[in-house]
């Protein structure tokens, strides 16, 4: 299950476990939500059982963030590929 | 294999990055040969209307103007339609904002939840809702 998150609100993240249950969880962060890709949030995402983490390249670069080592940075074509990768997409 | 991406955009211009993100995602999908449908909802419907250019002194500094202008999506939405995207609005949301009678950006169309959006849902592979 691929979660699309564009809001820097922790309450949004808390829905991942509620919605995703035991399913594998992929998280695509865009806009202000890319702050969750920083190392400081790694433990939170682990608690939420996020299996794969992605962040939008332009949003990360605009904010000059240092994302965690587990986060894969994607440009727009790559985000398209991810969205079409067969996962159920949930916008939160 | 070509697939269909539907974006429901709820934000208008200069609110946040949603419109810019949606347009760029749509451009990338079209470039890859996929189909794109965009449903403009909520404040997103503001993007569907042609701009009334203002004449004379804008009373906006050039620096601020250079920041604002790229966030206007009117021409980029029209360009998406030229590349094959299907873009329509929720006319009820237009009506709520007093803009229903204004002229549409080239290629964007009047729409509704019951038919337009449902048709998008029935024909899409992926739906992404972009809003705040």
């Amino acid at each position: 299950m691929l979660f699309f998150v564009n809001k820097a609100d922790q309450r949004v993240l808390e829905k991942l476990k509620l919605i995703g249950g035991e399913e594998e969880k992929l998280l695509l962060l865009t806009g202000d939500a890319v702050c969750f890709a920083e190392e400081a949030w790694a433990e939170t995402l682990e608690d939420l059982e996020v299996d794969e983490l992605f962040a939008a390249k332009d949003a990360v670069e605009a904010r000059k963030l240092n994302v965690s080592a587990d986060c894969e940075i994607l440009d727009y074509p790559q985000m398209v590929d991810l969205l079409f990768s067969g996962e159920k997409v949930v916008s939160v | 294999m070509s697939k269909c991406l539907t974006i429901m955009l709820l934000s208008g211009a200069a609110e946040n990055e949603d419109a810019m993100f949606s347009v760029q995602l749509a451009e990338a999908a079209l470039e890859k040969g996929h189909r794109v449908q965009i449903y403009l909802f909520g404040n997103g419907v503001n993007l569907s209307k042609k701009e009334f250019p203002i004449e004379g002194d804008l009373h906006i500094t050039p620096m601020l103007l250079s920041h604002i202008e790229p966030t206007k999506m009117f021409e980029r939405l029209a360009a998406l339609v030229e590349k094959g995207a299907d873009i329509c609005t929720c006319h009820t949301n237009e009506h709520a904002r007093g803009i229903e009678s204004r002229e549409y950006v080239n290629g964007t169309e009047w729409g509704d939840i019951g038919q337009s959006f449902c048709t998008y849902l029935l024909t899409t592979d992926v739906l992404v809702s972009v809003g705040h």
Side-chain angles (χ1 to χ4, degrees):
Chain A
M1 190 175 286
L2 171 61
F3 291 92
F4 170 80
V5 176
N6 65 338
K7 294 170 273 290
D9 184 342
Q10 188 173 357
R11 292 170 297 180
V12 170
L13 281 189
E14 289 162 3
K15 293 180 185 175
L16 266 60
K17 214 167 180 178
L18 183 68
I19 298 170
E22 299 302 316
E23 287 201 38
E24 182 186 34
K25 300 178 192 62
L26 288 67
L27 179 58
L28 171 59
L29 302 170
T30 71
D32 286 340
V34 295
C35 68
F36 295 132
E38 289 189 297
E39 187 60 42
W41 288 94
E43 192 174 331
T44 300
L45 295 184
E46 193 176 329
D47 290 344
L48 291 168
E49 298 171 0
V50 171
D51 297 289
E52 292 183 62
L53 179 63
F54 305 92
K57 182 171 184 278
D58 61 347
V60 169
E61 290 179 351
R63 293 159 178 79
K64 294 182 168 43
L65 293 181
N66 288 319
V67 301
S68 70
D70 295 331
C71 180
E72 185 175 347
I73 306 292
L74 302 180
D75 59 19
Y76 283 96
Q78 290 169 321
M79 281 190 275
V80 170
D81 289 342
L82 177 64
L83 288 168
F84 285 139
S85 64
E87 294 286 338
K88 182 182 292 185
V89 178
V90 177
S91 303
V92 187
Chain B
M1 188 176 79
S2 170
K3 294 191 177 182
C4 182
L5 170 68
T6 298
I7 300 171
M8 185 185 210
L9 174 57
L10 292 96
S11 300
E15 286 186 52
N16 46 49
E17 296 164 69
D18 292 350
M20 182 84 79
F21 171 84
S22 298
V23 166
Q24 291 181 107
L25 187 68
E27 287 171 348
L30 289 168
E31 187 67 28
K32 283 179 160 284
H34 297 300
R35 289 195 302 120
V36 171
Q37 301 173 149
I38 300 178
Y39 191 69
L40 299 172
F41 194 69
N43 284 342
V45 300
N46 288 313
L47 301 173
S48 71
K49 299 299 179 175
K50 279 191 174 176
E51 182 180 5
F52 286 121
I54 187 169
E55 298 189 12
D57 191 348
L58 296 179
H59 301 285
I60 302 174
T61 64
M63 182 184 289
L64 182 53
L65 201 59
S66 68
H67 176 72
I68 292 171
E69 289 296 325
T71 69
K72 289 184 178 179
M73 292 292 119
F74 312 111
E75 290 180 5
R76 288 181 77 171
L77 282 180
L80 287 177
V81 175
E82 285 182 15
K83 292 176 188 173
D86 188 342
I87 304 177
C88 70
T89 72
C90 174
H91 82 98
T92 308
N93 281 196
E94 292 181 48
H95 187 82
R97 288 157 179 78
I99 61 173
E100 193 171 9
S101 65
R102 285 179 46 194
E103 189 179 355
Y104 285 106
V105 163
N106 292 345
T108 62
E109 295 181 347
W110 183 104
D112 57 3
I113 285 281
Q115 180 144 345
S116 311
F117 188 58
C118 282
T119 301
Y120 282 178
L121 290 180
L122 290 170
T123 57
T124 198
D125 292 285
V126 169
L127 169 71
V128 177
S129 176
V130 185
H132 274 70

